[in-house]
Amino acid sequence: MFLLAPLCAPKFYQEFGWSRGTIGLAVSINLALYGLTAPFAAALMDRYGIRRVVAVALTVIAAGSGLTVWMTAPWQLLLCWGLLVGLGTGSMALAFAATVTNRWFTERRGLVTGILTAAAASGQLIFLPLLSWIVQEHQWRSAAVTVALAALAVVPFVWLLLRDHPADVGTAPYGAKEFVPKPPPVPGAARRTLGVLFSAARTGPFWLLAGTFAICGASTNGLVQTHFVPAAHDHGMPITAAASLLAVIGVFDVVGTIASGWFTDRFDARRLLAVYYALRGISLLFLPMLLAPSVHPPMIFFIVFYGLDWVATVPPTIALCREHYGDDSAIVFGWVLASHQVGAAVVAFAGGLARDVFGTYDVVWYASGALCAAAALMALVIRRGGAGARVGAAAA
C-alpha cells in the first residue's frame, strides 16, 4: 500500500494535471500485474530459488520507483509505476508467503501464513505516514526516491540471510518428523504455471476461490488503498490525517491477520471467509456517512473494524487452496491472487472514473459492499477438499 503514496498526493495531481482516471489506470496496471506475476513467480521460486527471485524483484521495484522522478508524460507513469513496480511487487506477492509456508512448515501453517501476511501491514504502518510527511513537507519525488532506496537497501540482507529450503541449513521443516531433502529445481516454470491453471480451472472450488478473492481485492487494494485518501481529502480531511488512518488500519491488520491464521488452524476456512466478507461489506456501506473534515469516533471505529478484516481472508484462502490442490497449491493460490488483483485493478480504475463523472466516490463504496455480500455466499458453497491431489501433474 505505501508504494502508492506518491500517486495519492495532491501535489502530484497539481503538477501534472492528469485526471483521476489516468492515475487510476496506472494503479490498475500495477495491481493487475501484482496478481498476474504471482503464479509465475511461485514457479520461478521452484526453479531458481526464493532468494534470487526476491532479490531481482526488489531491484525492479527500485528501478520503477526511481525512474518516476524524470517522467513527464502519462505513458511513463504507466511504465514505471504500472509495469515495473507491478512486476516487482508481484514477484514478492502472497504466493511468496504460500511457498515459504509450504516448504518450511508442516504444522501451524495457518498461523505462519497470518504472520507473514501481516508483515505487509507492518510495512504500511512504518512507511505510509513517513512517505505522506515527505510528500507534504517536500515533494512526491522525494517519496519515490525513498521507496527506491528502501528496496535497494533490503537486497543485501535477502541475498545473505534468506534460504530457499530447510535442507539448506541442515534442518527439517517445523513439525516434520524426519529430515526432508531439498527437491531438485523444477524446469519449465511458464509451462508448469499454465498447466496448473488449466487443470485447476476444471474444478469448481478454483472459480469460487478466484471469485471471492477478486471481490476481496476490489474492496481493499482497489478501493480503500487507492481511493480512501483522495476521498477523505474531498471531504476536507488533511492528507496526513487520512494517510495516518490507513496506517492505523495496518496496526489492526497485523492483529486481525495473525488471529485469522490461528482461527484457520482450528475452524472451517469456508465459514471464516463468509464471516469476513459479510462484516467487510457492512462496514463499507456505512463509510460514506463517516467521511468528514476531522477524525471522529465513528470513523476510528470503522478503521479498527476494517483493519481487523483487511487481509484476514488470506490464511483461509491459502488453506483451501492447499486442501484442494496439494503440492501445486502455491501456484494455484498465485492464480487466485491474480484474480484478487484483477478485481482490485478494475475498481481502482472504475473508482477514479466514477469520481471524475459523479464528483463523489459514494456509488463505489455501496457497490463494493454489495459485492462483499455476494462473496460471503460464494464462500459458503465451496465444497470440502480431499487430500489435495497434484492438479498439474500432467503438465509438470
Side-chain angles (χ1 to χ4, degrees):
M1 177 183 292
F2 68 84
L3 291 174
L4 301 176
L7 303 189
C8 298
K11 292 182 180 180
F12 185 89
Y13 293 104
Q14 294 166 6
E15 176 175 342
F16 293 103
W18 297 335
S19 69
R20 299 290 179 94
T22 299
I23 308 301
L25 178 60
V27 175
S28 69
I29 293 173
N30 175 287
L31 295 175
L33 286 176
Y34 177 96
L36 294 171
T37 304
F40 294 94
L44 286 172
M45 289 176 188
D46 287 340
R47 176 67 179 88
Y48 297 105
I50 299 173
R51 180 173 59 174
R52 292 180 180 177
V53 173
V54 172
V56 171
L58 286 167
T59 304
V60 172
I61 291 172
S65 182
L67 288 172
T68 58
V69 300
W70 291 291
M71 68 182 179
T72 57
W75 70 266
Q76 295 165 345
L77 174 68
L78 302 183
L79 173 65
C80 295
W81 280 102
L83 178 64
L84 293 179
V85 176
L87 289 174
T89 54
S91 298
M92 299 187 303
L94 295 174
F96 166 77
T99 302
V100 171
T101 303
N102 287 348
R103 290 186 182 185
W104 287 81
F105 298 86
T106 59
E107 295 181 358
R108 312 287 186 184
R109 282 176 164 174
L111 178 60
V112 172
T113 301
I115 293 173
L116 291 176
T117 305
S122 300
Q124 168 187 325
L125 172 63
I126 296 170
F127 281 97
L128 188 55
L130 172 63
L131 293 177
S132 298
W133 177 83
I134 292 174
V135 169
Q136 180 164 319
E137 297 298 324
H138 301 281
Q139 57 174 327
W140 67 266
R141 286 182 174 84
S142 300
V145 171
T146 301
V147 171
L149 294 177
L152 286 177
V154 178
V155 173
F157 294 98
V158 168
W159 193 257
L160 294 174
L161 302 177
L162 187 62
R163 294 294 179 266
D164 296 323
H165 194 275
D168 290 340
V169 292
T171 188
Y174 178 84
K177 297 181 179 179
E178 58 184 16
F179 182 82
V180 178
K182 183 177 180 178
V186 181
R191 179 170 56 88
R192 181 187 174 206
T193 303
L194 294 174
V196 169
L197 170 64
F198 294 146
S199 297
R202 293 197 291 267
T203 65
F206 173 80
W207 291 107
L208 290 169
L209 288 168
T212 56
F213 224 43
I215 294 172
C216 178
S219 57
T220 53
N221 300 65
L223 183 61
V224 175
Q225 171 182 309
T226 307
H227 297 295
F228 178 81
V229 172
H233 191 67
D234 283 347
H235 287 75
M237 184 180 295
I239 186 172
T240 51
S244 297
L245 288 176
L246 284 183
V248 174
I249 285 180
V251 175
F252 290 94
D253 182 17
V254 173
V255 177
T257 307
I258 294 175
S260 178
W262 188 86
F263 291 143
T264 301
D265 288 330
R266 292 162 174 79
F267 302 104
D268 188 340
R270 301 170 303 163
R271 295 187 179 183
L272 288 176
L273 284 179
V275 171
Y276 296 157
Y277 285 122
L279 293 176
R280 181 184 299 174
I282 292 171
S283 67
L284 286 173
L285 293 177
F286 282 97
L287 181 58
M289 296 178 283
L290 303 179
L291 292 170
S294 60
V295 179
H296 46 82
M299 173 59 78
I300 295 175
F301 179 80
F302 168 82
I303 293 297
V304 172
F305 188 86
Y306 197 84
L308 291 171
D309 199 351
W310 180 270
V311 288
T313 56
V314 173
T317 300
I318 290 179
L320 288 169
C321 287
R322 188 181 302 117
E323 179 180 331
H324 285 277
Y325 305 109
D327 292 340
D328 288 319
S329 61
I331 296 177
V332 173
F333 177 71
W335 285 114
V336 172
L337 178 62
S339 72
H340 179 283
Q341 295 308 114
V342 169
V346 170
V347 172
F349 176 69
L353 188 61
R355 172 60 176 77
D356 290 337
V357 174
F358 300 110
T360 178
Y361 287 103
D362 288 359
V363 65
V364 188
W365 303 124
Y366 294 134
S368 295
L371 284 174
C372 288
L377 295 175
M378 293 167 64
L380 289 174
V381 300
I382 299 174
R383 64 174 175 81
R384 289 187 176 274
R390 183 180 174 86
V391 298

